[in-house]
Amino acid sequence: MKLPAYKHLFEINAGFDQVVHGLAELRKNDAFLAKEFDRYSALVKETRAATNSYLIGVLERAETREAGRRFGKRWEREQREELR
């Protein structure tokens, strides 16, 4: 898997962290209902977990395929070298 995919995953998580932090800071203001921020924060954390689960699952499958492909190439090369 290419580095940009991991960079985007990092950026997505940084964005979720910013939202959680922003909600926590706004929750301190008496003008807002704290229970609403608790609910929104829980929703953001749930969404972050679901998003990470999906993205990491796709990345894992891609990395596993790449590892298998590279292993196959190495194994074939080693077999050819042993015959020499």
Side-chain angles (χ1 to χ4, degrees):
M1 186 59 59
K2 305 243 183 218
L3 182 60
Y6 291 100
K7 183 176 183 271
H8 294 309
L9 179 62
F10 173 81
E11 290 169 346
I12 287 167
N13 278 280
F16 279 121
D17 286 345
Q18 283 182 318
V19 172
V20 169
H21 177 72
L23 290 172
E25 290 300 312
L26 286 171
R27 186 183 188 279
K28 296 174 185 177
N29 188 317
D30 290 338
F32 300 108
L33 295 175
K35 69 178 184 174
E36 288 300 309
F37 284 104
D38 293 342
R39 186 169 70 91
Y40 296 140
S41 183
L43 288 169
V44 169
K45 290 174 183 177
E46 178 185 346
T47 302
R48 175 179 51 198
T51 301
N52 280 328
S53 176
Y54 171 72
L55 295 175
I56 290 168
V58 171
L59 290 170
E60 178 191 20
R61 287 188 296 278
E63 292 288 10
T64 299
R65 281 192 305 272
E66 177 71 7
R69 185 183 70 76
R70 289 182 177 276
F71 170 79
K73 282 184 158 185
R74 180 179 55 82
W75 187 84
E76 288 174 2
R77 186 185 71 246
E78 288 173 355
Q79 294 302 308
R80 283 192 309 270
E81 290 172 357
E82 284 182 14
L83 292 175
R84 291 182 188 171

